[in-house]
Amino acid sequence: MVGEVRDPETAQIAVQSALTGHLVFTTVHANNVFDVIGRFLHMGVEPYNFVSALNCVMAQRLVRLLCRSCRHPAEVSETLLRESGLDPDLYQDQVFHDAPGCEECGGTGFRGRTAVAELLDMSDRIRQMILERRPTAEIKQAAREEGMTFLRESALETVFAGATTLREINKVTFVQ
Ligand SMILES: [Zn+2]
């Protein structure tokens, strides 16, 4: 475990440990999994060493869960749909939930939390793209073609499952 990577020295230690056969877990502050690639390369890690050492990158955020005792189906305004990047015409039949608050949740409407996440798996194709220092947009596109679920989509799935609200995910994930 390497606490947090925020300088070239720590980045080198983490990558060297992984290259010499250790399973290394570390954290980096970044907006999403793709920014992690740039962070490491900007810290002077050789792309070849980086892709050889890396198995996968996961980004995650915590969202509060709606209280199961008082949650109920609720209308979502057209404005909120638009602010959330959802076309009102496409989502008019989507059921959303909200919770007014009760004794069980101390009047907050929320009880417990869950993680929403995205996972970038290092396929040969993506390794090659990092080696060639391809733009993030291209790597993102390749990951999408390989079936990756992005952070925002994962957050929306949690909303559509009735577990949390659009306002809640809008606080921790960006509209794409
Ligand atoms: Zn409640």
Side-chain angles (χ1 to χ4, degrees):
M1 297 276 186
V2 180
E4 188 197 326
V5 174
R6 61 168 100 200
D7 57 78
E9 197 184 354
T10 317
Q12 290 297 348
I13 292 169
V15 170
Q16 281 307 321
S17 306
L19 286 174
T20 50
H22 301 87
L23 179 60
V24 178
F25 291 92
T26 190
T27 62
V28 183
H29 278 251
N31 285 327
N32 55 60
V33 295
F34 302 100
D35 287 354
V36 173
I37 301 168
R39 288 292 308 276
F40 269 87
L41 299 184
H42 283 127
M43 283 189 279
V45 173
E46 276 298 310
Y48 182 79
N49 288 343
F50 182 58
V51 298
S52 307
L54 193 63
N55 285 322
C56 63
V57 187
M58 176 180 264
Q60 55 187 5
R61 300 284 184 279
L62 281 173
V63 292
R64 292 178 298 167
L65 291 172
L66 283 171
C67 169
R68 289 182 168 272
S69 303
C70 62
R71 78 167 174 190
H72 57 77
E75 291 275 316
V76 166
S77 72
E78 210 175 297
T79 313
L80 180 56
L81 282 176
R82 287 192 198 283
E83 281 171 8
S84 308
L86 302 176
D87 182 344
D89 292 335
L90 296 176
Y91 289 90
Q92 56 184 355
D93 294 331
Q94 174 67 47
V95 177
F96 292 91
H97 287 76
D98 211 344
C102 66
E103 261 182 36
E104 293 291 319
C105 56
T108 62
F110 291 97
R111 207 172 172 209
R113 295 196 290 179
T114 193
V116 293
E118 66 182 3
L119 181 79
L120 176 65
D121 209 356
M122 281 293 126
S123 64
D124 289 343
R125 180 180 173 200
I126 288 178
R127 282 200 161 90
Q128 189 60 36
M129 293 179 86
I130 295 172
L131 276 179
E132 291 168 3
R133 292 182 180 262
R134 308 300 302 169
T136 303
E138 281 182 31
I139 298 175
K140 217 170 175 175
Q141 181 59 33
R144 161 147 339 261
E145 284 166 20
E146 289 177 5
M148 180 182 154
T149 303
F150 294 168
L151 200 55
R152 181 68 184 180
E153 296 163 343
S154 167
L156 282 171
E157 280 171 17
T158 312
V159 172
F160 296 155
T164 192
T165 66
L166 284 175
R167 283 184 203 288
E168 182 70 7
I169 66 161
N170 286 352
K171 284 194 259 175
V172 293
T173 57
F174 298 109
V175 175
Q176 286 168 345

